[in-house]
Amino acid sequence: MWEKDVNINEVKEILCKSHVYFGVGAIKKIDDIVCALKEKGIQKVIVVSGKGSYKITGAWDYVEAALKKYGVGYTNYAKCSPNPTTTSIDEAAKQALEFGAKAVIGIGGGSAIDTGKSVAILIENKGKTADELYEFKFEPKGAAPVVAINLTHGTGTEANRFAVATVVSKDYKPAIAYDCIYPVYSIDDPALCTKLSINQTKYVSIDAVNHVIEAATSKVASPFAITLAKETIDLVAKYLPLALENPENLEARYYLHYASLLGGICFDNGLLHYTHALEHPLSAVKHDLPHGLGLAMLLPAVIKNIYPAKANVLAHILSSIVPDLKGNKDEAKKASDGVYNWLKSVGVPEKLKDAGFSENDIEKLVNLAFDTPSLSALLSIAPTEAAKEAVKEIFTSSL
């Protein structure tokens, strides 16, 4: 019960590649952040956000006040939607360049912050498009400074170098990873997450769990990634039911936020493989599919596939949601069933058919997993051979 010795109302500074202000009330640190930007000569910024959450949560009140206090001009692109597209990134970048923005403040979940990171690249790489960025047709020479104000507890993007967007014309949903898009400053304030819906609360937390399962079992996993994975899953297992029972429970939101932050740092180190490489085609084809739900529908089949190769690691990190695993290779079905039972226990029993997918979609999904830029690279570091037949089996078993 070490958590009881932590004062959740005391804002901590967590120094990873990004400078993260973490804790209840951390949103007030935006005043210091805007001051620092102004001292670096930044006179104008673009604020990238969703359509309403940045105001509903109260985050915007603090951000706008700080910008006005220090005389930093701003323009607001408030059109981000779940599963952001390269079209919206280009639109936001055009707005930023016309305004003369020299930094980006992203307010929201992964979609808004990833859009902001992408805009930051296009500000510094004038004449390039988001399609070119996400199809790897150029190497960014840098990016404008990014500030991330995180309104969910799942993405981890506030502390890593990744961003994701969909190229709608090709049903591609690639991931990019560049050091230049580590946020300079990030804010993780659990009080900003209390307005998340029940479904959002579930899905973003499941995203964090998937991040660490993949990062701890990839071919490039380190002991550090495994350590972070164990703590992340333990915290989600303990605090997700409490947040679902009482969305206003700040202690639960605090530790889910912390789990998400650990997850973001974890996969910054261990990277990702099957579940994300296979989910991206799902939400590229069905843009309204929540990312975390797509991951949940795939996870049991992925566990069954990788357990024999990583039995000891998985038995260790899954112990809080699937007790009594011994680390024997023949426990794959027990581990898979146990993960599915945990997903059901937090209200996510869905399979791919529940989201409208059928056997007729499998071939296209398999091809997208290999043809989408960056996804084959993820599959190449999976702990088992990620041949097309293996990927097809995961999709089929998840129906």
Side-chain angles (χ1 to χ4, degrees):
M1 292 297 291
W2 64 268
E3 303 99 309
K4 294 298 182 184
D5 288 340
V6 175
N7 180 359
I8 68 172
N9 295 295
E10 183 177 293
V11 176
K12 306 291 186 181
E13 294 185 53
I14 297 177
L15 305 178
C16 36
K17 274 278 192 176
S18 300
H19 190 139
V20 181
Y21 290 105
F22 184 92
V24 177
I27 187 60
K28 297 175 184 177
K29 290 293 184 178
I30 190 62
D31 194 279
D32 295 344
I33 292 170
V34 173
C35 179
L37 293 178
K38 184 66 178 288
E39 289 176 349
K40 292 176 181 178
I42 293 171
Q43 304 287 338
K44 293 183 177 181
V45 303
I46 182 169
V47 179
V48 177
S49 67
K51 299 173 184 177
S53 61
Y54 73 116
K55 289 185 175 179
I56 293 169
T57 58
W60 177 242
D61 293 338
Y62 289 94
V63 174
E64 186 177 38
L67 292 170
K68 289 181 175 179
K69 176 179 177 180
Y70 292 101
V72 175
Y74 65 88
T75 183
N76 181 200
Y77 180 82
K79 301 179 185 178
C80 292
S81 59
N83 297 315
T85 67
T86 53
T87 302
S88 64
I89 291 168
D90 283 335
E91 188 176 60
K94 182 175 183 289
Q95 183 174 327
L97 288 167
E98 289 178 349
F99 182 68
K102 299 299 183 183
V104 179
I105 299 176
I107 311 178
S111 297
I113 295 172
D114 285 3
T115 298
K117 288 179 172 182
S118 307
V119 169
I121 288 176
L122 296 183
I123 288 174
E124 290 297 313
N125 295 265
K126 295 179 179 64
K128 302 297 184 180
T129 68
D131 280 349
E132 291 173 322
L133 173 62
Y134 278 91
E135 293 185 55
F136 298 90
K137 294 182 178 178
F138 75 96
E139 180 83 14
K141 64 180 182 181
V146 176
V147 175
I149 301 174
N150 188 17
L151 302 185
T152 69
H153 42 68
T155 175
T157 193
E158 78 276 17
N160 65 40
R161 60 202 149 112
F162 290 87
V164 174
T166 299
V167 182
V168 176
S169 62
K170 297 182 179 180
D171 286 336
Y172 286 169
K173 187 179 176 183
I176 59 172
Y178 296 109
D179 284 1
C180 62
I181 53 173
Y182 278 108
V184 179
Y185 297 102
S186 295
I187 289 175
D188 277 338
D189 188 334
L192 301 178
C193 290
T194 59
K195 304 304 181 186
L196 286 174
S197 71
I198 292 297
N199 280 341
Q200 288 174 312
T201 297
K202 293 185 288 191
Y203 298 154
V204 298
S205 300
I206 289 168
D207 190 10
V209 168
N210 275 272
H211 285 155
V212 300
I213 289 174
E214 292 170 81
T217 58
S218 77
K219 289 179 180 177
V220 298
S222 66
F224 182 50
I226 294 168
T227 298
L228 294 177
K230 177 69 166 66
E231 186 66 13
T232 296
I233 296 173
D234 286 354
L235 289 170
V236 173
K238 182 174 183 178
Y239 288 101
L240 178 55
L242 299 179
L244 296 176
E245 180 183 334
N246 176 13
E248 300 288 336
N249 184 329
L250 282 178
E251 183 180 46
R253 296 291 186 184
Y254 181 95
Y255 286 109
L256 289 174
H257 233 321
Y258 183 55
S260 172
L261 177 63
L262 292 182
I265 298 169
C266 183
F267 86 83
D268 207 25
N269 285 269
L271 305 182
L272 303 169
H273 53 78
Y274 276 120
T275 324
H276 275 76
L278 273 60
E279 191 288 325
H280 283 200
L282 298 180
S283 51
V285 171
K286 294 186 182 293
H287 301 159
D288 59 347
L289 177 69
H291 175 57
L293 175 58
L295 294 171
M297 295 188 290
L298 294 166
L299 183 58
V302 170
I303 293 292
K304 188 175 182 180
N305 175 290
I306 68 174
Y307 194 88
K310 291 292 181 180
N312 287 321
V313 170
L314 286 168
H316 174 63
I317 68 174
L318 294 174
S319 61
S320 56
I321 60 177
V322 190
D324 303 323
L325 292 173
K326 305 299 182 185
N328 300 323
K329 293 182 179 182
D330 60 2
E331 294 177 314
K333 186 176 186 304
K334 178 180 178 181
S336 174
D337 290 347
V339 167
Y340 181 62
N341 288 334
W342 175 73
L343 290 168
K344 286 197 296 184
S345 76
V346 295
V348 189
E350 289 89 347
K351 297 289 190 177
L352 290 182
K353 284 185 177 178
D354 298 311
F357 291 98
S358 71
E359 292 179 4
N360 295 331
D361 298 310
I362 298 298
E363 183 178 358
K364 178 177 182 177
L365 294 171
V366 170
N367 288 334
L368 283 172
F370 286 90
D371 294 343
T372 300
S374 80
L375 298 190
S376 61
L378 298 186
L379 291 172
S380 73
I381 59 170
T384 59
E385 184 181 357
K388 283 196 172 184
E389 281 304 310
V391 170
K392 180 179 179 181
E393 173 61 25
I394 292 171
F395 277 129
T396 302
S397 297
S398 302
L399 283 172

